Amino acid sequence: MSKLNAQDKDQGLTHVDQQGKAAMVDVTDKAMTSRIAVAEGKISMSAPAFDMLINNQHKKGDVLAVARIAGIQAAKKCSELIPLCHPLMLSKVQVDFELLPKNYSVKIKAMCKLSGQTGVEMEALTAVSVAALTLFDMCKAVDPSMVISDIKVLHKEGGKSGIWRAQDEAAKLC
């Protein structure tokens, strides 16, 4: 579990009202700014499942193409899945895959972008999660023991907070 910085502690939980009840954040007075979020995750599988994936030999078809479309669609439907998320007019959703043959895994990366009053981290995380679940669904007949892991936000920018990068991402820039 990550440690909260001083700014996070001062803000408290944003989706809880004064009485501790769940509440949707009011973004009415927030400025419209360009906002971007990037998230990633990973799915690990057996060598046979990975080989079928990279050679496009699964009976269900082009597994990566279907997972990409599922991830994009999931980002667009995030507010229907996560109760207190705002419905957003996304201007760009991109889902990419990196095949990692050394450990028979696929890294999934999603980027969401818009001009709006609230961030798009949840949409990027949802895109990654549903793309991973779709890969699992399409490959489970070959390997029901796959593992989905390491889903996290890598980068976000926009709004009054400016640019934020995960520590491991910030270290790569040095």
Side-chain angles (χ1 to χ4, degrees):
M1 175 137 13
S2 65
K3 294 180 181 175
L4 294 176
N5 63 36
Q7 181 183 1
D8 294 332
K9 289 178 186 174
D10 293 340
Q11 287 181 338
L13 298 175
T14 58
H15 289 77
V16 179
D17 70 11
Q18 300 276 343
Q19 292 76 38
K21 297 177 187 168
M24 188 174 193
V25 175
D26 184 354
V27 297
T28 305
D29 296 329
K30 291 176 86 176
M32 292 280 283
T33 63
S34 178
R35 296 166 185 266
I36 297 172
V38 178
E40 78 173 9
K42 183 174 80 172
I43 183 166
S44 302
M45 59 190 69
S46 66
F50 188 80
D51 288 341
M52 289 179 79
L53 175 79
I54 63 174
N55 293 312
N56 200 18
Q57 295 175 333
H58 279 275
K59 292 179 182 178
K60 293 185 177 183
D62 188 340
V63 174
L64 293 175
V66 173
R68 177 174 286 113
I69 297 296
I72 293 168
Q73 188 68 26
K76 293 173 12 178
K77 297 223 175 248
C78 182
S79 68
E80 295 175 34
L81 301 168
I82 311 293
L84 299 176
C85 284
H86 293 85
L88 302 178
M89 291 295 297
L90 296 170
S91 56
K92 175 77 175 167
V93 178
Q94 182 173 330
V95 177
D96 294 307
F97 303 100
E98 181 183 349
L99 302 173
L100 305 169
K102 285 185 180 179
N103 57 3
Y104 310 116
S105 63
V106 179
K107 185 184 290 184
I108 305 155
K109 192 175 279 189
M111 183 276 299
C112 293
K113 183 178 181 181
L114 61 66
S115 180
Q117 295 168 289
T118 189
V120 290
E121 307 93 299
M122 294 308 300
E123 288 71 16
L125 288 164
T126 301
V128 167
S129 299
V130 171
L133 289 167
T134 301
L135 289 172
F136 191 101
D137 180 51
M138 295 187 75
C139 299
K140 68 185 177 206
V142 178
D143 181 9
S145 66
M146 290 175 285
V147 175
I148 295 170
S149 64
D150 304 319
I151 297 172
K152 60 188 172 188
V153 176
L154 297 177
H155 171 93
K156 68 178 191 163
E157 60 185 79
K160 69 179 183 180
S161 302
I163 297 173
W164 176 89
R165 285 187 178 83
Q167 287 184 350
D168 53 338
E169 289 302 301
K172 290 179 189 177
L173 299 174
C174 297

